[in-house]
Amino acid sequence: MADLDGPNAPFPGAPRHRPQRRTYAALDLGTNNCRLLIARPAGNGFTIVDAFSRIVRLGEGLGASGRLSDAAIERAIAALTVCAEKLVRRGVHLSRAVATEACRRAENGREFVDRVYRETGIALDIIDPGEEARLAVAGCHALLEEGEGPALIFDIGGGSTELVELLPGDGEPAIADWISVPWGVVSLAESEPQDGATQEDRLAAYDRMKARVVEALGAIDLPTEGKLRLLGTSGTVTTLASVYLNLPSYERRAVDGLLVPVEAMRAIGRDLAAISIPERAQVACIGQERADLVVAGCAILEAILDLWPAERVGVADRGIREGILRSLMGHA
């Protein structure tokens, strides 16, 4: 049940609406991105009223220092200030804001959360990896490829990657097992220089990144029967899907729900790993902001593809925020 005196409380300044007019918000502050969705209930789902997304790189340098840097904190607070303004302007009745791996790991994570509340009024809830995985599943499981075989949903984040194995069968998914590993696009990219002078150097760095993830994922037991189904919810899979479709700019409607052959995903990842960072920046839908991180995401993805040999990868441009919204609307 949503707690009106806790982290799900009505945002300060929000007017009270009748139930049918209530507006809800979900905010996900990750290691790399700050994302907000504001929505109203509509039938069995919801209609988006407003959205916001900004790359803030909150976890930049965290692996080396163990702390959120001053510059990263300022970027995050600037983005959260925009979110706070949207929450008030849209008259949000009930909201939840979560923070993930960067705040979990940082020595000053709690200090940062306290400052965010003082300066923006947003009460960030630092969630554990299990809840992060459950919210991602709740937000995107509807896009799983049809079938009754074993299914795996994965979320490649900035500081960690969560994988959730679902029990076979149709309908509302039941979680069989899950794992979280401390490799995301930011943490993995910072572990391995990617500015090799030659293609051979760059591919060797890619293989070392992949090996780190394979080692971390070694605890998962593979299913032995049934057609495997695979669904990814992350910037990595949506970006690679855009490259696969050769889109000149990102189009959510074209990407969300797409099924991409596994071998195509592998080939795109290897091609991107082979070229330099400036060359990656020229690829449509990657650009300067993602050029130095996308290959780390590709290495994580390929490790997952080795582990879970499905024929196709489902792509979801939805996840934690949608999971939060469904929870708020279902228990408000």
Side-chain angles (χ1 to χ4, degrees), residues 237-270:
V237 291
T238 56
T239 297
L240 297 193
S242 300
V243 176
Y244 171 74
L245 293 174
N246 198 29
L247 297 177
S249 59
Y250 186 72
E251 296 178 32
R252 183 183 186 276
R253 290 183 180 179
V255 167
D256 189 48
L258 185 70
L259 287 167
V260 181
V262 161
E263 292 311 312
M265 284 293 207
R266 289 183 186 273
I268 294 168
R270 287 267 161 188

mmCIF file of all heavy atoms in Angstrom, residues 237-270:
data_model
loop_
_atom_site.group_PDB
_atom_site.id
_atom_site.type_symbol
_atom_site.label_atom_id
_atom_site.label_comp_id
_atom_site.label_asym_id
_atom_site.label_seq_id
_atom_site.Cartn_x
_atom_site.Cartn_y
_atom_site.Cartn_z
ATOM 1 N N VAL A 237 20.408 -2.067 -25.519
ATOM 2 C CA VAL A 237 19.633 -2.814 -26.516
ATOM 3 C C VAL A 237 18.806 -1.881 -27.397
ATOM 4 O O VAL A 237 18.641 -2.142 -28.592
ATOM 5 C CB VAL A 237 18.735 -3.889 -25.863
ATOM 6 C CG1 VAL A 237 19.575 -5.011 -25.282
ATOM 7 C CG2 VAL A 237 17.811 -3.309 -24.829
ATOM 8 N N THR A 238 18.299 -0.787 -26.847
ATOM 9 C CA THR A 238 17.526 0.132 -27.694
ATOM 10 C C THR A 238 18.446 0.839 -28.698
ATOM 11 O O THR A 238 18.060 1.086 -29.839
ATOM 12 C CB THR A 238 16.761 1.167 -26.850
ATOM 13 O OG1 THR A 238 17.673 1.885 -26.010
ATOM 14 C CG2 THR A 238 15.706 0.490 -25.995
ATOM 15 N N THR A 239 19.667 1.165 -28.268
ATOM 16 C CA THR A 239 20.623 1.794 -29.188
ATOM 17 C C THR A 239 21.011 0.835 -30.305
ATOM 18 O O THR A 239 21.023 1.205 -31.487
ATOM 19 C CB THR A 239 21.880 2.250 -28.426
ATOM 20 O OG1 THR A 239 21.516 3.242 -27.463
ATOM 21 C CG2 THR A 239 22.910 2.836 -29.375
ATOM 22 N N LEU A 240 21.344 -0.416 -29.952
ATOM 23 C CA LEU A 240 21.730 -1.385 -30.974
ATOM 24 C C LEU A 240 20.563 -1.712 -31.905
ATOM 25 O O LEU A 240 20.760 -1.938 -33.103
ATOM 26 C CB LEU A 240 22.263 -2.659 -30.327
ATOM 27 C CG LEU A 240 23.541 -2.528 -29.492
ATOM 28 C CD1 LEU A 240 24.116 -3.898 -29.174
ATOM 29 C CD2 LEU A 240 24.578 -1.680 -30.184
ATOM 30 N N ALA A 241 19.353 -1.718 -31.366
ATOM 31 C CA ALA A 241 18.186 -1.936 -32.219
ATOM 32 C C ALA A 241 18.033 -0.798 -33.224
ATOM 33 O O ALA A 241 17.668 -1.021 -34.390
ATOM 34 C CB ALA A 241 16.928 -2.055 -31.362
ATOM 35 N N SER A 242 18.331 0.419 -32.797
ATOM 36 C CA SER A 242 18.267 1.567 -33.704
ATOM 37 C C SER A 242 19.295 1.441 -34.815
ATOM 38 O O SER A 242 19.018 1.758 -35.979
ATOM 39 C CB SER A 242 18.512 2.864 -32.923
ATOM 40 O OG SER A 242 17.554 3.048 -31.914
ATOM 41 N N VAL A 243 20.497 0.994 -34.459
ATOM 42 C CA VAL A 243 21.536 0.774 -35.471
ATOM 43 C C VAL A 243 21.107 -0.341 -36.425
ATOM 44 O O VAL A 243 21.277 -0.244 -37.643
ATOM 45 C CB VAL A 243 22.886 0.435 -34.802
ATOM 46 C CG1 VAL A 243 23.948 0.096 -35.852
ATOM 47 C CG2 VAL A 243 23.360 1.604 -33.939
ATOM 48 N N TYR A 244 20.527 -1.403 -35.876
ATOM 49 C CA TYR A 244 20.037 -2.524 -36.695
ATOM 50 C C TYR A 244 19.009 -2.045 -37.723
ATOM 51 O O TYR A 244 19.026 -2.473 -38.882
ATOM 52 C CB TYR A 244 19.428 -3.581 -35.773
ATOM 53 C CG TYR A 244 18.701 -4.696 -36.475
ATOM 54 C CD1 TYR A 244 19.395 -5.697 -37.145
ATOM 55 C CD2 TYR A 244 17.305 -4.755 -36.452
ATOM 56 C CE1 TYR A 244 18.719 -6.727 -37.791
ATOM 57 C CE2 TYR A 244 16.626 -5.781 -37.085
ATOM 58 C CZ TYR A 244 17.346 -6.767 -37.758
ATOM 59 O OH TYR A 244 16.668 -7.784 -38.401
ATOM 60 N N LEU A 245 18.120 -1.141 -37.296
ATOM 61 C CA LEU A 245 17.090 -0.609 -38.194
ATOM 62 C C LEU A 245 17.611 0.515 -39.080
ATOM 63 O O LEU A 245 16.870 1.021 -39.938
ATOM 64 C CB LEU A 245 15.904 -0.096 -37.376
ATOM 65 C CG LEU A 245 15.092 -1.143 -36.614
ATOM 66 C CD1 LEU A 245 14.048 -0.462 -35.736
ATOM 67 C CD2 LEU A 245 14.444 -2.135 -37.558
ATOM 68 N N ASN A 246 18.858 0.933 -38.832
ATOM 69 C CA ASN A 246 19.464 2.028 -39.596
ATOM 70 C C ASN A 246 18.638 3.313 -39.488
ATOM 71 O O ASN A 246 18.433 4.032 -40.466
ATOM 72 C CB ASN A 246 19.635 1.629 -41.070
ATOM 73 C CG ASN A 246 20.630 2.515 -41.811
ATOM 74 O OD1 ASN A 246 21.568 3.057 -41.201
ATOM 75 N ND2 ASN A 246 20.421 2.689 -43.098
ATOM 76 N N LEU A 247 18.175 3.604 -38.285
ATOM 77 C CA LEU A 247 17.367 4.799 -38.068
ATOM 78 C C LEU A 247 18.254 6.047 -38.067
ATOM 79 O O LEU A 247 19.322 6.049 -37.463
ATOM 80 C CB LEU A 247 16.641 4.707 -36.722
ATOM 81 C CG LEU A 247 15.632 3.572 -36.544
ATOM 82 C CD1 LEU A 247 15.069 3.598 -35.132
ATOM 83 C CD2 LEU A 247 14.507 3.680 -37.566
ATOM 84 N N PRO A 248 17.815 7.110 -38.704
ATOM 85 C CA PRO A 248 18.597 8.356 -38.679
ATOM 86 C C PRO A 248 18.558 9.040 -37.317
ATOM 87 O O PRO A 248 19.456 9.793 -36.955
ATOM 88 C CB PRO A 248 17.924 9.218 -39.755
ATOM 89 C CG PRO A 248 16.528 8.678 -39.851
ATOM 90 C CD PRO A 248 16.633 7.217 -39.571
ATOM 91 N N SER A 249 17.489 8.797 -36.543
ATOM 92 C CA SER A 249 17.378 9.307 -35.175
ATOM 93 C C SER A 249 16.488 8.330 -34.402
ATOM 94 O O SER A 249 15.737 7.550 -34.995
ATOM 95 C CB SER A 249 16.775 10.713 -35.140
ATOM 96 O OG SER A 249 15.487 10.724 -35.728
ATOM 97 N N TYR A 250 16.585 8.393 -33.081
ATOM 98 C CA TYR A 250 15.891 7.397 -32.275
ATOM 99 C C TYR A 250 14.374 7.522 -32.397
ATOM 100 O O TYR A 250 13.824 8.618 -32.345
ATOM 101 C CB TYR A 250 16.298 7.532 -30.803
ATOM 102 C CG TYR A 250 15.716 6.430 -29.953
ATOM 103 C CD1 TYR A 250 16.208 5.138 -30.048
ATOM 104 C CD2 TYR A 250 14.648 6.676 -29.096
ATOM 105 C CE1 TYR A 250 15.654 4.105 -29.302
ATOM 106 C CE2 TYR A 250 14.096 5.654 -28.337
ATOM 107 C CZ TYR A 250 14.602 4.370 -28.451
ATOM 108 O OH TYR A 250 14.057 3.360 -27.711
ATOM 109 N N GLU A 251 13.687 6.376 -32.571
ATOM 110 C CA GLU A 251 12.236 6.331 -32.650
ATOM 111 C C GLU A 251 11.739 5.240 -31.718
ATOM 112 O O GLU A 251 11.883 4.047 -32.008
ATOM 113 C CB GLU A 251 11.771 6.025 -34.079
ATOM 114 C CG GLU A 251 12.118 7.086 -35.107
ATOM 115 C CD GLU A 251 11.663 6.699 -36.500
ATOM 116 O OE1 GLU A 251 10.615 5.999 -36.604
ATOM 117 O OE2 GLU A 251 12.331 7.060 -37.474
ATOM 118 N N ARG A 252 11.151 5.636 -30.606
ATOM 119 C CA ARG A 252 10.692 4.662 -29.624
ATOM 120 C C ARG A 252 9.700 3.663 -30.210
ATOM 121 O O ARG A 252 9.768 2.461 -29.939
ATOM 122 C CB ARG A 252 10.055 5.378 -28.427
ATOM 123 C CG ARG A 252 9.617 4.429 -27.316
ATOM 124 C CD ARG A 252 8.927 5.168 -26.179
ATOM 125 N NE ARG A 252 8.649 4.255 -25.078
ATOM 126 C CZ ARG A 252 7.590 3.452 -24.998
ATOM 127 N NH1 ARG A 252 6.692 3.454 -25.981
ATOM 128 N NH2 ARG A 252 7.421 2.656 -23.952
ATOM 129 N N ARG A 253 8.769 4.150 -31.029
ATOM 130 C CA ARG A 253 7.741 3.267 -31.577
ATOM 131 C C ARG A 253 8.323 2.183 -32.470
ATOM 132 O O ARG A 253 7.771 1.091 -32.566
ATOM 133 C CB ARG A 253 6.712 4.085 -32.367
ATOM 134 C CG ARG A 253 5.837 4.967 -31.495
ATOM 135 C CD ARG A 253 4.796 5.705 -32.318
ATOM 136 N NE ARG A 253 3.942 6.548 -31.500
ATOM 137 C CZ ARG A 253 2.970 7.302 -31.972
ATOM 138 N NH1 ARG A 253 2.716 7.325 -33.284
ATOM 139 N NH2 ARG A 253 2.230 8.046 -31.173
ATOM 140 N N ALA A 254 9.441 2.488 -33.127
ATOM 141 C CA ALA A 254 10.064 1.504 -34.009
ATOM 142 C C ALA A 254 10.851 0.467 -33.222
ATOM 143 O O ALA A 254 11.010 -0.676 -33.666
ATOM 144 C CB ALA A 254 10.986 2.204 -35.006
ATOM 145 N N VAL A 255 11.322 0.840 -32.046
ATOM 146 C CA VAL A 255 12.247 0.002 -31.284
ATOM 147 C C VAL A 255 11.540 -0.819 -30.207
ATOM 148 O O VAL A 255 11.828 -2.011 -30.018
ATOM 149 C CB VAL A 255 13.345 0.886 -30.654
ATOM 150 C CG1 VAL A 255 14.141 0.116 -29.614
ATOM 151 C CG2 VAL A 255 14.260 1.439 -31.737
ATOM 152 N N ASP A 256 10.608 -0.206 -29.485
ATOM 153 C CA ASP A 256 9.951 -0.870 -28.353
ATOM 154 C C ASP A 256 9.123 -2.054 -28.838
ATOM 155 O O ASP A 256 8.161 -1.890 -29.592
ATOM 156 C CB ASP A 256 9.059 0.134 -27.624
ATOM 157 C CG ASP A 256 8.503 -0.397 -26.317
ATOM 158 O OD1 ASP A 256 9.283 -0.954 -25.520
ATOM 159 O OD2 ASP A 256 7.293 -0.244 -26.074
ATOM 160 N N GLY A 257 9.505 -3.267 -28.432
ATOM 161 C CA GLY A 257 8.813 -4.469 -28.866
ATOM 162 C C GLY A 257 9.447 -5.172 -30.055
ATOM 163 O O GLY A 257 8.980 -6.229 -30.473
ATOM 164 N N LEU A 258 10.529 -4.618 -30.576
ATOM 165 C CA LEU A 258 11.219 -5.220 -31.721
ATOM 166 C C LEU A 258 11.907 -6.526 -31.310
ATOM 167 O O LEU A 258 12.384 -6.663 -30.181
ATOM 168 C CB LEU A 258 12.261 -4.235 -32.252
ATOM 169 C CG LEU A 258 13.011 -4.625 -33.527
ATOM 170 C CD1 LEU A 258 12.072 -4.585 -34.731
ATOM 171 C CD2 LEU A 258 14.196 -3.670 -33.750
ATOM 172 N N LEU A 259 11.964 -7.478 -32.233
ATOM 173 C CA LEU A 259 12.731 -8.706 -32.056
ATOM 174 C C LEU A 259 13.891 -8.682 -33.041
ATOM 175 O O LEU A 259 13.679 -8.509 -34.251
ATOM 176 C CB LEU A 259 11.857 -9.941 -32.305
ATOM 177 C CG LEU A 259 10.822 -10.262 -31.223
ATOM 178 C CD1 LEU A 259 9.821 -11.287 -31.736
ATOM 179 C CD2 LEU A 259 11.512 -10.777 -29.963
ATOM 180 N N VAL A 260 15.119 -8.834 -32.529
ATOM 181 C CA VAL A 260 16.309 -8.744 -33.364
ATOM 182 C C VAL A 260 17.062 -10.071 -33.307
ATOM 183 O O VAL A 260 17.276 -10.617 -32.221
ATOM 184 C CB VAL A 260 17.245 -7.615 -32.877
ATOM 185 C CG1 VAL A 260 18.474 -7.505 -33.771
ATOM 186 C CG2 VAL A 260 16.497 -6.283 -32.843
ATOM 187 N N PRO A 261 17.481 -10.621 -34.453
ATOM 188 C CA PRO A 261 18.270 -11.855 -34.430
ATOM 189 C C PRO A 261 19.530 -11.688 -33.580
ATOM 190 O O PRO A 261 20.207 -10.653 -33.656
ATOM 191 C CB PRO A 261 18.625 -12.081 -35.908
ATOM 192 C CG PRO A 261 17.567 -11.350 -36.665
ATOM 193 C CD PRO A 261 17.227 -10.146 -35.831
ATOM 194 N N VAL A 262 19.850 -12.694 -32.788
ATOM 195 C CA VAL A 262 21.007 -12.629 -31.902
ATOM 196 C C VAL A 262 22.292 -12.368 -32.688
ATOM 197 O O VAL A 262 23.136 -11.570 -32.267
ATOM 198 C CB VAL A 262 21.124 -13.930 -31.079
ATOM 199 C CG1 VAL A 262 22.521 -14.112 -30.517
ATOM 200 C CG2 VAL A 262 20.107 -13.922 -29.947
ATOM 201 N N GLU A 263 22.447 -13.037 -33.817
ATOM 202 C CA GLU A 263 23.681 -12.866 -34.578
ATOM 203 C C GLU A 263 23.837 -11.438 -35.091
ATOM 204 O O GLU A 263 24.957 -10.938 -35.229
ATOM 205 C CB GLU A 263 23.731 -13.866 -35.742
ATOM 206 C CG GLU A 263 23.873 -15.313 -35.284
ATOM 207 C CD GLU A 263 24.996 -15.494 -34.262
ATOM 208 O OE1 GLU A 263 26.110 -14.989 -34.499
ATOM 209 O OE2 GLU A 263 24.746 -16.128 -33.215
ATOM 210 N N ALA A 264 22.721 -10.769 -35.361
ATOM 211 C CA ALA A 264 22.801 -9.364 -35.783
ATOM 212 C C ALA A 264 23.281 -8.491 -34.635
ATOM 213 O O ALA A 264 24.109 -7.587 -34.823
ATOM 214 C CB ALA A 264 21.431 -8.890 -36.281
ATOM 215 N N MET A 265 22.784 -8.748 -33.428
ATOM 216 C CA MET A 265 23.235 -7.997 -32.255
ATOM 217 C C MET A 265 24.730 -8.208 -32.012
ATOM 218 O O MET A 265 25.473 -7.258 -31.729
ATOM 219 C CB MET A 265 22.442 -8.405 -31.018
ATOM 220 C CG MET A 265 21.037 -7.838 -30.936
ATOM 221 S SD MET A 265 21.050 -6.036 -30.712
ATOM 222 C CE MET A 265 19.495 -5.791 -29.849
ATOM 223 N N ARG A 266 25.174 -9.451 -32.116
ATOM 224 C CA ARG A 266 26.596 -9.731 -31.927
ATOM 225 C C ARG A 266 27.444 -8.973 -32.955
ATOM 226 O O ARG A 266 28.477 -8.380 -32.613
ATOM 227 C CB ARG A 266 26.862 -11.233 -32.077
ATOM 228 C CG ARG A 266 26.346 -12.114 -30.953
ATOM 229 C CD ARG A 266 26.774 -13.554 -31.231
ATOM 230 N NE ARG A 266 26.212 -14.507 -30.301
ATOM 231 C CZ ARG A 266 26.760 -14.829 -29.130
ATOM 232 N NH1 ARG A 266 27.897 -14.245 -28.759
ATOM 233 N NH2 ARG A 266 26.190 -15.723 -28.339
ATOM 234 N N ALA A 267 27.021 -9.005 -34.209
ATOM 235 C CA ALA A 267 27.794 -8.371 -35.283
ATOM 236 C C ALA A 267 27.880 -6.863 -35.085
ATOM 237 O O ALA A 267 28.953 -6.261 -35.270
ATOM 238 C CB ALA A 267 27.164 -8.700 -36.641
ATOM 239 N N ILE A 268 26.760 -6.246 -34.704
ATOM 240 C CA ILE A 268 26.761 -4.797 -34.468
ATOM 241 C C ILE A 268 27.707 -4.451 -33.334
ATOM 242 O O ILE A 268 28.489 -3.494 -33.416
ATOM 243 C CB ILE A 268 25.340 -4.292 -34.172
ATOM 244 C CG1 ILE A 268 24.448 -4.435 -35.399
ATOM 245 C CG2 ILE A 268 25.377 -2.829 -33.717
ATOM 246 C CD1 ILE A 268 22.976 -4.226 -35.114
ATOM 247 N N GLY A 269 27.671 -5.230 -32.248
ATOM 248 C CA GLY A 269 28.559 -4.977 -31.118
ATOM 249 C C GLY A 269 30.011 -5.060 -31.502
ATOM 250 O O GLY A 269 30.828 -4.199 -31.140
ATOM 251 N N ARG A 270 30.386 -6.102 -32.245
ATOM 252 C CA ARG A 270 31.768 -6.271 -32.676
ATOM 253 C C ARG A 270 32.200 -5.143 -33.612
ATOM 254 O O ARG A 270 33.325 -4.647 -33.544
ATOM 255 C CB ARG A 270 31.923 -7.620 -33.377
ATOM 256 C CG ARG A 270 31.896 -8.802 -32.439
ATOM 257 C CD ARG A 270 33.300 -9.187 -32.023
ATOM 258 N NE ARG A 270 33.279 -10.003 -30.818
ATOM 259 C CZ ARG A 270 34.366 -10.345 -30.160
ATOM 260 N NH1 ARG A 270 35.549 -9.935 -30.574
ATOM 261 N NH2 ARG A 270 34.294 -11.061 -29.065
#
